Amino acid sequence: MSIPIAVATPLAERAFISALDLFKVGIGPSSSHTVGPLRAARAFVDGLDRDGLLERVASVECILFGSLGSTGVGHGTPGAVLAGLAGYAVETVTRDDVERVTAEAESGMLRLAGRHPITLRTAPSSPLGQVRATGTVIPAPAGAGDTVDSWLIFAPREVKPRHPNALTLSARDAAGALLAESTYYSVGGGFVEREGDDDGPGAGSTPVPYPFDTAVELLRLCRANALSIAELARANEAAVRGEAATSDAFAAIAQAMDDCIDAGLSATGTLPGGLNVPRRAAGMAERLRGLDAAGERDCSLEWLQAYAIAVNEENAAGGRVVTAPTNGAAGIIPAVLRHALDVIPVPDRARAREEFLLVAAAIGSLIKANASISGAEAGCQGEVGSAASMAAAGFAHLLGASNEQIENAAEIAMEHSLGLTCDPVAGLVQLPCIERNAIGAGKAVAAARLAMHGDGTHLISFDTVVETMRQTGDDMSRKYKETSEGGLAVNVVEC
């Protein structure tokens, strides 16, 4: 049997985390640095409109704190904030939209909510602001100016206690009087919290028939009600939005994942950002098709890697991806899901895709509730580790695993991701992020197949390894948590 461990925070009233909270369609390259800030900026401008203040706004300012200030430029944060202020939504915004709004901003103009024009204050030496660093000065974003006359300020050394990814948005009238100001936290996976909106754990949560806060509780509920994890998770989702809407939503998420893989497998060229990283997925796919046709060997695991790389190249290029549970780890779950359907005979592919995602989300909800899915908070163990754990659980389910074997698969994948740092070279979600997804996908498949050789009993429980991941993230140096101040980010020479 497994040995459980008590988690650090009381969980009895935690809000239900839906699979559709974890799996959200957005744009790359980062759920915390792109999707979250866009959501925050859109919420801010919607609030101005709702309060009748929009037409009075003459200027706006955005301060990016902590990790957003450190790697925001490489992660596309300035363009995301501009798109949100312009009224775009993450579900529908495109790369072209962001590029168009950014080009207008560089000329000093922005239409708030898409209709109210304001003039942006820009620093003479930088169209996207200047750096305000406290403590030890770190390298500023390329081209950063040294004046305060800018709408965008980077404050990498100012870390808010609540979360390393914080931004403050403010709006002023023509006389300079403050009309509104809000601080938001982009807590990973596109989730956004606003300072002052703390109504307590579980506030506003939709009641579900089978609430659970730990894997021990999840397995107990399954046993008591003779349910698989997939069946229990689906009952909870259907309680929120109904049976038909639940099926439609999962079909849409699965299709978006497939579309992203296909787009990445056909795209060529180099990735943006200055590192000139070549896109490899299309070339891999062409070679693998030839090997498949020759029938010389099994290429299924190489296709798995190609699928993951395809998604993360799309993400790095700012394409449409599904946070799974984050953008930086977006390739793992789609790749493992498609690989599963390649190698496991299933009578109903639509049902298999839905159940895979349901099981993965059940595991992901426990990780988010009890630890973190944020690279800025926990390092890459919180992103790639979480995605590998979720994918291992889904893959094990399609292999016919028991609930206990599924929990074991999730535990194995996370256990062997502990301590994984987040050290993106040049602040871009490219090196080592893209290949790391391919390796994470392989780890998920290996964990699931290993779990199938046991009966579900094991010494280290999933709850134990998640709590260990949380503690490891707390102990990890800040320079290894999405700041590009340590690891590969400082040891790889940018050419």
Side-chain angles (χ1 to χ4, degrees), residues 21-43:
D21 293 326
L22 291 168
F23 301 134
K24 298 186 289 288
V25 178
I27 59 169
S30 171
S31 51
S32 60
H33 287 55
T34 310
V35 176
L38 195 155
R39 286 184 183 275
R42 171 65 186 268

Side-chain angles (χ1 to χ4, degrees), residues 60-274:
V60 294
E61 180 182 87
C62 176
I63 306 175
L64 301 176
F65 298 98
S67 179
L68 293 183
S70 295
T71 57
V73 171
H75 284 52
T77 307
V81 171
L82 287 167
L85 292 173
Y88 288 100
V90 292
E91 296 82 6
T92 55
V93 70
T94 67
R95 275 177 288 195
D96 290 344
D97 294 329
V98 175
E99 290 172 0
R100 181 168 52 254
V101 172
T102 300
E104 292 174 352
E106 288 176 344
S107 68
M109 194 275 283
L110 175 68
R111 292 186 181 274
L112 290 180
R115 68 177 191 273
H116 176 61
I118 64 170
T119 300
L120 288 178
R121 293 177 295 127
T122 58
S125 59
S126 170
L128 292 179
Q130 51 89 32
V131 174
R132 182 179 75 193
T134 61
T136 304
V137 176
I138 69 168
D146 56 3
T147 76
V148 296
D149 187 26
S150 172
W151 74 275
L152 182 61
I153 296 171
F154 296 84
R157 291 296 181 186
E158 296 183 43
V159 180
K160 301 287 186 181
R162 180 162 166 176
H163 196 277
N165 292 330
L167 66 157
T168 295
L169 290 157
S170 57
R172 297 180 181 275
D173 64 16
L178 185 66
L179 296 174
E181 184 174 85
S182 292
T183 294
Y184 299 87
Y185 300 92
S186 181
V187 298
F191 289 85
V192 173
E193 300 170 0
R194 191 179 76 159
E195 190 77 66
D197 284 353
D198 305 309
D199 296 323
S205 177
T206 301
V208 294
Y210 304 109
F212 57 90
D213 297 314
T214 65
V216 168
E217 290 183 7
L218 172 60
L219 294 176
R220 178 184 57 79
L221 282 169
C222 288
R223 285 192 296 268
N225 295 278
L227 296 171
S228 69
I229 292 175
E231 289 168 337
L232 184 146
R234 197 182 198 288
N236 284 344
E237 296 290 341
V240 174
R241 64 186 62 82
E243 295 283 346
T246 295
S247 292
D248 290 346
F250 277 96
I253 291 298
Q255 188 60 55
M257 288 180 172
D258 266 346
D259 290 344
C260 189
I261 291 174
D262 292 337
L265 290 177
S266 63
T268 57
T270 58
L271 296 173

Side-chain angles (χ1 to χ4, degrees), residues 276-370:
N276 297 317
V277 174
R279 297 184 69 142
R280 292 182 291 169
M284 291 177 67
E286 183 177 359
R287 287 189 293 275
L288 289 172
R289 291 186 193 103
L291 290 170
D292 285 342
E296 296 176 356
R297 57 183 170 85
D298 177 18
C299 297
S300 59
L301 289 178
E302 290 163 90
W303 274 111
L304 169 69
Q305 294 178 325
Y307 298 154
I309 288 174
V311 171
N312 284 87
E313 287 178 348
E314 275 297 288
N315 178 64
R320 299 194 68 71
V321 297
V322 178
T323 61
T326 67
N327 281 32
I332 295 172
I333 290 173
V336 174
L337 174 53
R338 183 176 283 196
H339 170 74
L341 297 179
D342 285 347
V343 301
I344 303 171
V346 294
D348 185 337
R349 290 176 66 89
R351 180 176 176 180
R353 295 199 303 181
E354 180 176 313
E355 291 185 355
F356 180 104
L357 294 174
L358 282 165
V359 172
I363 294 301
S365 70
L366 290 172
I367 299 171
K368 176 167 172 53
N370 297 324

Side-chain angles (χ1 to χ4, degrees), residues 1-5 215-216 404 407-416 418 456-468:
M1 62 180 294
S2 59
I3 303 172
I5 187 171
V216 168
E404 289 74 19
E407 185 258 0
N408 190 193
E411 180 275 324
I412 293 170
M414 179 59 79
E415 179 183 344
H416 299 290
L418 292 175
T457 59
H458 52 111
L459 290 177
I460 301 175
S461 73
F462 178 72
D463 292 329
T464 298
V465 79
V466 170
E467 171 61 8
T468 303

